Amino acid sequence: MSYVSGAATGGSREVNARLAYFIVGSALAALPFLAADYVPATDLPQHLAQIRMWRELWGLDPHTMDLSSLVARPLGANTLVYWPMLALSQLLSVRWVGKLTVWLLVQSSVAALHVLAWRRERDPAHALLAGMLLFSLPLYWGLLNYLSGLPIFLLTCEHALRESSAPLRARDIAVRLLLLLALCWAHVFWLACAALVVLLRAWLKRDPGYALRWGACFVPFAAAAAAWLPSLARARRASGVELGVVYQASIAARLSWDWLCSTCFGGVRGPLEPLALLGLVAYATVVCVRARRSRRQGYDPMLLAVGASLLAFALVAPDKLLNTIWFNGRVLSCSGMLLLLALPASQARWTKAAALLLAAGFAVVTTLAWSVHSELELSGLRESLASVTGPRSVLGLDYRADASILRGRPFLQDFAYFQAEHGGELSFSFAEHQSGIVALARPRTLRWTQGLEWYPQRLQPRDVDAFDCVLVNGTNDDHSRFSERFGLRSPVAQGYFRVYCHAQSEPLTSGSTRGR
């Protein structure tokens, strides 16, 4: 089975075609990042704040917070993404570190998709369309740890599924160990997905010896994950979060078109994503029908099995487990990528043209949405960040839970940009999650209402008094009510985001107690 593009059956012409598709896919994936000052990834500011805490712990920045309650986890599970972020922070501003980090994650996944398509002899047009699914729920929620494992998982699929009659060599074992180490370091969820790939191949090929050989490589990483997860659960339970199994959508509801669109993509409101998913389904249908008529099946049963298994997981697994949001939904886009790659090659030029138009149209509209969101929906944020000098303790209040351009809660963690840029302390930090590069050594005692970033309507006067500054995201009416109730004024006169500071507050020092 090999990919054929019209009369381009020669090796060099195929390489050129694949390279062209990769370049186009990379360029389209880069367009949205050129249009937005701030990448619309909900958790991104908290990840950037983790870098600030890490830098202070390592003495790279002046101390602006109580470091005695923090510990670094530089080699811990789920921390791989922070190393390139740390390297970028040595050279660039916080805003550019965030933008380049997410861009690099997307570009590495684009490259991995095309490598997988090349090594499995899949149609590069399918890889081009699969790249659309990178702009999905994990990106828009800013699940950077998870995103950093996606390209590694795709490469692991390529290595695990390849056919070889040669005896196992030391180099093969080393590659397997490195891939599994990278998966565990990026996100332990991907380690389980890699185990699924190995088990499926062993079952489909009736080769239990294959599973045993791979299983020996899994042992140290599975043991490390098994030892870490209970400690993670204990730490999160101590912080007061819900760890149980949560089903927010029934299995029947997950079969609806709306759920599939909002989970497979999950970013831009309006008709873009339903039309994009409809276009992908139509493209896949046409390719399958034409392959059947020409009696050239050309499916990849291995990729088909892995993609279908991840789809089944997305449909039946809980929405939340161990306080991990989108536990099931985060794999739906990856499932779609693998199912697209598993399709037979498209022989007609018009289907390839349709694939290019669909991918280009999706990229252009996404770029426009990101541009409008950055320009209008985040108005006042940059001015608020610039108006505060020196580290402060900051409370974040998101009264505009829903954005007009994007789905989800895109503003939820934006107040963490203050800590990322200036240091200081926050009303909520990812250090409480115990899975970042910096974690709390012990649960902190709160002098304010917990969960205000999610439920600002619970705000009490004592909550405002516990912090130097409050970043409010709201309408003009929201700001008027807040200002009148608490007697605070903002140096930012316009925009959705406005910061309010106590007139008597002084910059935090390492000995400050405000906000702890």
Side-chain angles (χ1 to χ4, degrees):
M1 177 182 60
S2 63
Y3 162 67
V4 181
S5 177
T9 59
S12 61
R13 297 184 67 179
E14 180 182 339
V15 170
N16 291 337
R18 289 189 179 280
L19 182 60
Y21 275 104
F22 167 66
I23 292 173
V24 170
S26 296
L28 293 178
L31 284 180
F33 295 92
L34 300 176
D37 286 335
Y38 293 93
V39 175
T42 299
D43 288 349
L44 176 60
Q46 287 283 0
H47 291 295
L48 293 168
Q50 283 267 300
I51 296 301
R52 175 66 188 225
M53 289 187 283
W54 191 18
R55 290 179 61 87
E56 292 196 18
L57 278 171
W58 279 18
L60 299 176
D61 281 334
H63 294 178
T64 65
M65 60 193 79
D66 181 12
L67 300 180
S68 65
S69 63
L70 301 176
V71 293
R73 304 177 54 249
L75 300 178
N78 298 16
T79 62
L80 176 61
V81 71
Y82 296 109
W83 285 92
M85 294 179 73
L86 177 66
L88 291 173
S89 71
Q90 292 288 95
L91 305 171
L92 302 169
S93 67
V94 167
R95 181 169 62 89
W96 276 100
V97 170
K99 180 184 289 193
L100 284 181
T101 296
V102 184
W103 175 78
L104 286 171
L105 292 177
V106 169
Q107 291 296 331
S108 60
S109 294
V110 169
L113 280 170
H114 284 269
V115 168
L116 180 59
W118 166 50
R119 297 290 294 180
R120 298 292 297 174
E121 298 183 328
R122 313 314 301 159
D123 193 329
H126 301 347
L128 176 68
L129 290 178
M132 294 169 53
L133 295 170
L134 294 170
F135 291 86
S136 59
L137 186 149
L139 186 153
Y140 284 106
W141 275 91
L143 310 180
L144 301 194
N145 317 71
Y146 175 85
L147 285 174
S148 68
L150 176 58
I152 304 168
F153 172 70
L154 294 173
L155 295 178
T156 303
C157 284
E158 186 281 318
H159 184 79
L161 298 178
R162 65 175 57 170
E163 300 288 343
S164 176
S165 58
L168 191 65
R169 297 169 296 178
R171 186 178 67 178
D172 298 322
I173 297 175
V175 170
R176 293 178 182 184
L177 290 173
L178 286 174
L179 287 171
L180 296 177
L181 171 63
L183 286 175
C184 191
W185 199 7
H187 202 292
V188 294
F189 185 89
W190 288 118
L191 190 67
C193 293
L196 172 68
V197 173
V198 170
L199 291 174
L200 285 172
R201 185 195 181 280
W203 176 60
L204 290 173
K205 294 293 185 180
R206 304 293 190 269
D207 187 359
Y210 169 85
L212 291 174
R213 291 190 296 272
W214 265 92
C217 297
F218 271 96
V219 167
F221 307 107
W228 173 66
L229 287 174
S231 64
L232 173 67
R234 288 193 298 270
R236 289 189 172 181
R237 186 179 295 109
S239 66
V241 299
E242 175 60 45
L243 301 182
V245 174
V246 178
Y247 277 88
Q248 296 170 330
S250 67
I251 295 176
R254 296 176 185 183
L255 296 174
S256 68
W257 185 255
D258 181 66
W259 186 88
L260 291 172
C261 288
S262 61
T263 309
C264 199
F265 288 104
V268 181
R269 293 184 182 275
L272 170 66
E273 293 179 350
L275 289 176
L277 185 57
L278 183 62
L280 292 179
V281 171
Y283 174 85
T285 302
V286 169
V287 168
C288 292
V289 169
R290 289 182 62 86
R292 181 178 179 84
R293 287 178 178 176
S294 63
R295 297 184 179 180
R296 287 194 300 266
Q297 295 300 314
Y299 294 94
D300 188 318
M302 296 297 179
L303 293 181
L304 196 62
V306 177
S309 298
L310 293 180
L311 174 60
F313 180 88
L315 293 176
V316 303
D319 296 275
K320 191 175 179 182
L321 180 66
L322 285 178
N323 200 43
T324 301
I325 63 170
W326 297 111
F327 182 72
N328 66 319
R330 62 178 64 194
V331 304
L332 189 60
S333 55
C334 181
S335 168
M337 296 174 200
L338 297 176
L339 291 175
L340 280 170
L341 290 181
L343 296 176
S346 172
Q347 304 298 323
R349 291 186 177 181
W350 69 268
T351 57
K352 297 183 181 300
L356 179 60
L357 288 175
L358 178 59
F362 179 82
V364 169
V365 177
T366 299
T367 300
L368 293 174
W370 283 29
S371 177
V372 173
H373 175 82
S374 182
E375 189 69 23
L376 299 181
E377 300 278 18
L378 298 181
S379 60
L381 177 60
R382 179 177 290 184
E383 293 81 0
S384 294
L385 291 170
S387 68
V388 174
T389 58
R392 298 287 195 276
S393 59
V394 179
L395 168 66
L397 300 174
D398 178 21
Y399 289 104
R400 291 173 59 237
D402 296 323
S404 59
I405 305 297
L406 301 180
R407 298 173 183 260
R409 296 289 301 269
F411 315 118
L412 185 67
Q413 305 292 352
D414 282 342
F415 69 99
Y417 277 119
F418 276 98
Q419 187 179 55
E421 290 196 3
H422 302 299
E425 300 180 359
L426 301 174
S427 54
F428 170 74
S429 168
F430 269 17
E432 299 175 35
H433 280 178
Q434 302 293 324
S435 59
I437 199 73
V438 175
L440 289 175
R442 56 188 179 277
R444 59 179 179 174
T445 301
L446 303 185
R447 298 188 294 108
W448 58 92
T449 305
Q450 189 174 23
L452 288 173
E453 67 279 2
W454 284 96
Y455 309 105
Q457 64 273 15
R458 298 177 180 176
L459 183 70
Q460 300 296 323
R462 67 182 180 90
D463 301 323
V464 175
D465 292 339
F467 295 90
D468 297 322
C469 302
V470 182
L471 179 67
V472 177
N473 171 34
T475 63
N476 287 331
D477 290 341
D478 293 325
H479 287 288
S480 296
R481 285 191 292 268
F482 180 87
S483 181
E484 292 174 5
R485 181 182 179 187
F486 299 105
L488 298 177
R489 296 292 181 267
S490 173
V492 181
Q494 296 180 334
Y496 289 119
F497 286 86
R498 301 177 198 177
V499 65
Y500 299 83
C501 295
H502 294 284
Q504 73 277 14
S505 66
E506 296 294 332
L508 283 174
T509 64
S510 59
S512 173
T513 59
R514 180 185 283 270
R516 292 181 192 163

